[in-house]
Amino acid sequence: MIGTATVALGGLPLMDDADHRPAPRPVEPPDAVATLDLVLKARGGEQDACDELFARYEARLRRWAHGRLPPAARGALETQDLVQETLVRVFRQLPSFDPRHPRAFRDYVWTTLWNAIRDIARKYKRRGPTGPLDTDVAANGPSPLEEAMGREAFARYDAAMDRLRPEDREAIVARVEMGLSHVEVAAALGKSSAAAAHMAVSRALMRLAEEMAHDRKPRR
Amino acid sequence: MTASPDAEDPRLLSVASTIARGHPVDWSTVPTDPETTTILEELRQIEGVCQASSPVPDAWGPFEITGELGHGSYGTVYSAMDHDLGLEIALKVIRPGRDGEDHDIRRALNEARLLAQINHANVVRVYSAERIGREVGIAMELVRGRTLHWLVRAHGPFSASETILIGQELCRAVAAVHGARLLHGDIKANNVMRAHGGRTVLMDFGAGHDLKSSPERAHRRAAGTPIYLAPEVLAGAPRTTASDIYSLGILLFHLATGTYPVNGHTRDDIERQHEAHAPRRLLRDVRPDLPEAFIRVVERASAERPEDRYQTAGELETALHRMSQDDVVPDPVPTPLRRWALPLAAALVMAAGAGYHWWPSSPGAVPAPTSAAAVTPPPPAVGADSYDVEAAFYRHQGGKAVRLQSGARIAPGDELSFEIQSSVPTYVYVVNEDDRGEAYLLFPLPGQQLANPLPPGARHAIPGVVNGERINWQVSSAGGREHFVVFASPEPPSPAFERMFQSLPQPTPGAAPAPQPLPGELATALRGVGGLKKAPARPAGELMSHAFTAPLPDTRETARGVWVRQLTLENPGK
Ligand SMILES: Nc1ncnc2c1ncn2[C@@H]1O[C@H](COP(=O)(O)OP(=O)(O)O)[C@@H](O)[C@H]1O
Ligand SMILES: [Mg+2]
């Protein structure tokens, strides 16, 4: 005969309704930290972590890239290759960093993605009449961002973005080019609230406008 | 770089702020002076970009929008804050296209009305619907979790027992829908979410129909997703409860395989194959390991002719239930099918930053993946440090021990034990957690004869002998689901980790401990975000057992570093 120890597995009877009612809780910026975890796993070569990262960011990065790529590149974008490749490359090549400083990590990822997305855009631009895409008349066509602003203004915008402080650029990319909510922007930028994020974006936009204006003046 | 005086100009800031919100600026009211004209001109350019990229709005009606959850064919689903209720909700906003404006609005209001008629734990709960201008917003319960579509894509197919459990919950949902004389019309993996905590939630009634208000008419092009649509519906017959059951059958097939019985990319393709009675992909070909009874249930649910199907969702549920009742559902889930392995390995690297790492003196050491992640490319250097480990939970009945598979039922009074064997000396920790997040440390406990590290090469029964007496655990009360998480490692944990395990409530022979939620700290540290999250409060419904989803296999595994597996048992108490 064996003795038994009583282990209370479960406390109260489960009542479907009471149990499943979503608990009220404050709005919490999503994912900022869990992402670090995923990135680390992705670096360790874990397929699932990569999958999850794609699931989480693909749509947004696609949107970002979409805005910056000429129509010819969009075919490639639809096949997911560009975004996927970019993500894999960025996350796989992360240098080691100290997880106690998520800020440094964040800036690194943003900057790397910024460069990666613009490299893609430039690559497609450069494929002029002699490039492999020359059959496509639209190879040099304007990207949606370019189209929204006009070629000349976009050139100023892009050059000005390059000169901004990284945190201003991140704010604009996250809100304007990726279309994240202000709550998400707060998480991405490490701001304390949506209102703070909105303020950061607004100020960044002003600095961007000033930078753009700079480029315009001498030509007057 | 210093901010120029302009950066503080309140008029400019107000314009920039409007642009950042994604709202149109009324330029006619913006005062201009020579100082600011150029900058305003540039802001105007930027406004164009902002509107072209349509950023997530800050608010819709009374709701503060916090993010985007999903995008469907008819609208966007946001997460949003309802400040009146103090509740985060899901807000589905339907924006009618240029054509068919009225149709889309009617469809959206119809969806809300159908949802409002159903009050069931497995159907998404609707709070309200509102129309603002040309848009309709449906405020719903926010389901924290993933769609079944996402889960299959990311983790591979479900095991038979998991599929059975999900299938049963869906049957209950569909029975409630049909009971209210409604049709769902679009049951598919994309329209079902699995909440953290395991609850299955049916949503998206956009293609639904109320049989009470009008009989379902035949549609040449019935709404719904072709691969899930019953053959008779594709051929133009009206939708019925039997066509919902067909969709359920296809969904079960998909959960167990990641594929569908019928191939075809377009609606016409699929319709043609049905018409020609083309041979279907067979469940037993894709998953020969599945129990025959399960295969027959799925085949019957998705039978070509409606009269061959289960006639009601309840009937299908009964068939599934019979299988889950079976003590020994043969469920040799091959580990490769569930590719989500080794969360702790990465978790511990993160934990290092917060002063929690398993190895007291190896900062930054990255444990290699276990070979359990067999589908993923093998880790670079398996070999030297790998070890074999096998573990199982048992229920004791009339002197016999029945090995428990994931999803097996337990009930108050049942006696349970655990066995583990490893090829190297191993440090083992066993934690029990229920759906509410209340947890106990089951091993190691003071007074237990066994102590870490467990010697290699022998099967160790846990709890084993405690204070000179051979002991089992006994289930003392019912409570939904029980998760068991097993940690094993050839290396001892750091004192910080050890302390955290020891801080969990511990059962003692003959006495039930006061249940206590798992300390948020432990969950946080174990999940690998220790010390990084400012407020480590665990969101409701987020359990440790969900951080560690790799199921306990029923075979030996080769592992490296820390091996974490979990087993979920049903303890509904009926
Ligand atoms: N209540 C909810 N809670 C959480 N996520 C949701 C909820 N409703 C919808 N979603 C997400 O949004 C996606 C689209 O929602 P759905 O209702 O299916 O819209 P559609 O009719 O456009 O297909 C879902 O697949 C899911 O990911
Ligand atoms: Mg849907």
Side-chain angles (χ1 to χ4, degrees), chain A residues 10 25 40 48 52 63 176, chain B residues 53 144 146 339 350 477:
Chain A
R25 67 189 187 99
L40 281 169
D48 289 314
E52 163 110 37
R63 192 160 166 181
V176 177
Chain B
S53 70
R144 292 172 205 279
R146 300 280 187 194
R339 300 174 356 214
M350 294 301 304
S477 62

Side-chain angles (χ1 to χ4, degrees), chain B residues 119-282:
Chain B
N119 183 6
H120 193 276
N122 299 116
V123 177
V124 73
R125 184 189 292 228
V126 68
Y127 300 131
S128 66
E130 200 166 331
R131 190 174 161 172
I132 300 180
R134 294 169 71 242
E135 299 181 348
V136 175
I138 305 176
M140 293 175 281
E141 154 198 15
L142 174 64
V143 180
R144 292 172 205 279
R146 300 280 187 194
T147 64
L148 295 184
H149 172 82
W150 190 93
L151 289 169
V152 169
R153 219 188 65 171
H155 298 183
F158 286 91
S159 71
S161 53
E162 282 173 301
T163 308
I164 290 168
L165 287 172
I166 295 171
Q168 281 179 275
E169 294 197 12
L170 274 174
C171 281
R172 280 176 226 140
V174 173
V177 173
H178 291 174
R181 301 213 39 229
L182 309 177
L183 295 177
H184 184 281
D186 199 13
I187 298 167
K188 60 173 176 179
N190 260 320
N191 287 338
V192 178
M193 286 184 75
R194 191 170 201 203
H196 301 316
R199 181 175 56 123
T200 309
V201 188
L202 177 64
M203 49 183 55
D204 193 357
F205 281 59
H209 181 76
D210 190 339
L211 294 167
K212 298 187 293 296
S213 56
S214 66
E216 168 75 2
R217 276 169 297 140
H219 291 281
R220 188 58 212 112
R221 295 249 132 172
T225 310
I227 199 96
Y228 285 89
L229 272 185
E232 73 273 11
V233 176
L234 275 173
R239 300 176 303 173
T240 58
T241 51
S243 52
D244 270 351
I245 289 177
Y246 178 88
S247 309
L248 252 180
I250 300 296
L251 176 53
L252 295 180
F253 188 107
H254 181 69
L255 295 182
T257 63
T259 64
Y260 299 98
V262 177
N263 274 327
H265 291 297
T266 67
R267 190 182 183 107
D268 291 339
D269 265 6
I270 294 162
E271 195 178 336
R272 229 173 292 125
Q273 295 204 37
H274 284 312
E275 271 168 12
H277 304 284
R280 291 185 174 200
R281 181 176 286 125
L282 293 179

Side-chain angles (χ1 to χ4, degrees), chain A residues 47-61:
Chain A
Q47 186 60 40
D48 289 314
C50 282
D51 286 352
E52 163 110 37
L53 274 172
F54 293 144
R56 197 174 284 184
Y57 293 110
E58 208 182 291
R60 272 129 198 208
L61 285 169

Side-chain angles (χ1 to χ4, degrees), chain A residues 1-31 33-38 40-42 44-56 58-60 63 80 97-102 144-146 148-150 152-154 156-157 163-165 168 172 174-185 190-191 194-195 197-199 201-217 220, chain B residues 1 3-4 6-9 12-13 16-22 38-39 41-43 45-46 48-50 52-58 64-68 81 83 85-88 119-122 125 127 141-142 144 146 150 153-155 199 339-343 346-347 349-350 353-354 369 376-377 396 410 415-416 432 434-436 438 440 442 469-480 482 484 507-513 515 527-529 532-533 535 537 539-540 571:
Chain A
M1 275 284 93
I2 51 176
T4 54
T6 305
V7 180
L9 298 177
L12 307 161
L14 183 77
M15 285 181 301
D16 270 353
D17 273 355
D19 193 53
H20 295 315
R21 197 167 303 140
R25 67 189 187 99
V27 179
E28 199 180 274
D31 295 353
V33 175
T35 299
L36 265 87
D37 186 28
L38 281 171
L40 281 169
K41 284 184 201 166
E46 208 193 328
Q47 186 60 40
D48 289 314
C50 282
D51 286 352
E52 163 110 37
L53 274 172
F54 293 144
R56 197 174 284 184
E58 208 182 291
R60 272 129 198 208
R63 192 160 166 181
Q80 318 202 347
F97 65 94
D98 185 343
R100 272 168 301 195
H101 300 297
L145 277 183
E146 233 174 338
M149 303 186 90
E152 196 230 356
F154 176 72
R156 279 205 311 279
Y157 170 88
R163 292 194 302 266
L164 288 183
R165 296 181 306 175
D168 285 340
I172 294 169
R175 178 64 186 163
V176 177
E177 297 196 17
M178 298 174 95
L180 300 185
S181 76
H182 276 127
V183 174
E184 289 166 322
V185 174
K191 298 287 171 196
H198 175 228
M199 186 48 84
V201 174
S202 306
R203 288 191 189 284
L205 286 179
M206 284 180 61
R207 285 193 270 270
L208 174 66
E210 270 168 51
E211 278 298 330
M212 286 173 70
H214 251 283
D215 272 2
R216 188 207 286 245
K217 271 171 200 156
R220 283 248 162 126
Chain B
M1 196 166 82
S4 71
D6 284 344
E8 299 307 324
D9 185 324
L12 288 180
L13 190 59
S17 152
T18 310
I19 294 173
R21 287 208 189 284
T38 15
I39 293 177
E41 268 169 39
E42 301 296 5
L43 280 173
Q45 296 280 3
I46 296 169
V49 179
C50 240
S53 70
S54 58
V56 173
D58 285 328
E64 182 196 359
I65 293 179
T66 53
E68 203 172 295
M81 197 63 201
H83 287 290
L85 295 179
L87 201 68
E88 202 174 1
N119 183 6
H120 193 276
N122 299 116
R125 184 189 292 228
Y127 300 131
E141 154 198 15
L142 174 64
R144 292 172 205 279
R146 300 280 187 194
W150 190 93
R153 219 188 65 171
H155 298 183
R199 181 175 56 123
R339 300 174 356 214
W340 191 261
L342 110 151
V349 193
M350 294 301 304
T376 65
H396 300 269
I410 51 173
E415 289 182 20
L416 311 178
N432 164 231
D434 69 15
D435 275 347
R436 260 175 250 81
E438 285 169 350
Y440 308 101
L442 294 178
E469 217 184 344
R470 189 162 162 81
I471 296 281
N472 283 340
W473 298 306
Q474 185 174 52
V475 183
S476 66
S477 62
E482 299 297 337
F484 296 86
T508 46
R527 294 203 57 196
V529 294
L532 290 173
K533 209 167 192 169
N571 181 21

Side-chain angles (χ1 to χ4, degrees), chain B residues 401-414:
Chain B
V402 179
R403 189 168 180 155
L404 292 171
Q405 307 285 342
S406 177
R409 281 194 174 215
I410 51 173
D414 281 354

